[in-house]
Amino acid sequence: MAKQFLDDDFMLQNDAARTLYHQYAADMPIFDYHCHLPPVQVAENKQFRNLTEIWLYGDHYKWRAMRANGVAERNCTGDASDWDKFAAWAETVPKTIGNPLYHWTHMEMKDPFGISGKLLNPQTAKSIYEDINAKLVSGDEFRARGIMEHFNVKAVCTTDDPADSLEHHASVAADASFKSKMYPAFRPDKSMAVDTGEAWIEYLARLGAAASMSIDSFGDLLSALDKRHEFFHSMGGRLSDHALTLPVYAPASDAELEAIFKKAKSGGEVSPGEADKFRTALMLHFGRMNAKRGWVMQLHLNCLRNNNTRLFRKLGPDTGLDGMADGQIAVPLRNFLDALDMEEMLPKTILYTLNPRDNELLASIGGSFQDGSTPGKIQLGTAWWYNDQKEGMLSQMSALANIGLLSRFVGMITDSRSFLSYPRHDYFRRILCNMVGTWVEEGEAPRDMDLLGGMIADISYNNARNYFGMEID
């Protein structure tokens, strides 16, 4: 019997997969430990005025697909009306078959909005738009917090600069009526951008104000970052997050680092070699702070950002202009991890790659630094960004299973700015269950549902809850 699109057994191709998903994965809570949700929208329990605002604003995945479909920029990020933008997206959706956007779009229509058996296209666009718009303004169920509670989101970790006040996190933490937790993640990338001239100088002033101190030396910079790291810890933060095109390891003396700081602070030009030394020193500092306070360090590798200069100048960052990098990462990554490990200051670490060619590489290098102190101390991060689709997830999980321990994997993230992205966790769980179920059906794993179901539940939620050591439930 032919399967129907997006039925209850969507992506589940055998009996074992269906048992694993429906009995062990489907009802597990969500811990979204890396996302880009605006904390202010959680704090204010934002009510979205229409589907375009909640679905298309800030979604560079959709913008890229729309541009590829010949949609003018004004209907992506420009000044077109919200209806015109949605209509352009509805024209694009039928062309996205084979792309996870087609699945995600209809999964999000089905849950939380209850629209099933109807495909989004130009003919259905108006009725779907009006139906969902009415729900969005109907009450608390479809406000920001209501959506999180609907999907049983136990906690989210947002992405926050060390200079951020975290006032919205404090507001959410003080509200006992909200069942989900929101914690900050420490993202200090701007502090390392010593080669960006005036922008870095201006950032130092902002960071210094947040730390209530003047930053006049490299030592001051380390102290300010440590003060803010301690503040994030007091707010429940237990993760740092670092975007690195490539890992760097270029050790330098204290005198060299001070000289680089002085040159940059006075407006001098910092060479690429000097910038690498500066970044290395700060990354080592972040690793030590994380180890000292029992945090997790996330390294996002292999993203080549802002590739289209013309559009970047017009639109700015995070608008769909990034791609995969392909530089050499093995030696500098090994040297960086080893330097911290030699000091016994290597924290729990998650290694993500935007280039799937490096899944096995990261799994093998990360495995060299497992030390028995924490199950899965060094993680091969989930399939990220362009890889959070069926083949990308299978590739990442297969590499981990073959080289490490899939059973200790901390699972999926949304990496999203959208409150409607939580079905991606369901998408991941279906793919995971089908992969393991196929092993069972092919005689490569035992038909022991208690054993395998426990592993599925752990990967879906339990491992992350235990690994990060945060107050969740």
Side-chain angles (χ1 to χ4, degrees), residues 78-94:
D79 60 359
S81 70
D82 283 353
W83 162 250
D84 285 342
K85 289 179 178 179
F86 181 78
W89 172 238
E91 290 178 0
T92 300
V93 168

Side-chain angles (χ1 to χ4, degrees), residues 141-155:
E141 181 182 358
F142 296 104
R143 296 170 78 105
R145 295 188 185 186
I147 293 170
M148 294 172 71
E149 291 183 348
H150 169 81
F151 285 108
N152 198 13
V153 178
K154 292 293 187 180

Side-chain angles (χ1 to χ4, degrees), residues 31 33 409-411 458-469:
F31 180 8
Y33 56 86
F409 178 33
V410 293
D458 286 345
I459 295 170
S460 297
Y461 174 72
N462 297 330
N463 285 346
R465 178 197 60 198
N466 297 334
Y467 182 76
F468 292 100

Side-chain angles (χ1 to χ4, degrees), residues 148-198:
M148 294 172 71
E149 291 183 348
H150 169 81
F151 285 108
N152 198 13
V153 178
K154 292 293 187 180
V156 296
C157 296
T158 57
T159 304
D160 310 279
D161 190 277
D164 289 349
S165 69
L166 305 187
E167 60 187 290
H168 302 303
H169 295 81
S171 174
V172 170
D175 186 352
S177 68
F178 184 42
K179 297 181 178 63
S180 303
K181 307 284 188 181
M182 181 173 74
Y183 293 116
F186 189 82
R187 180 76 170 255
D189 295 350
K190 291 179 181 178
S191 68
M192 296 192 291
V194 69
D195 50 356
T196 57
E198 190 64 30

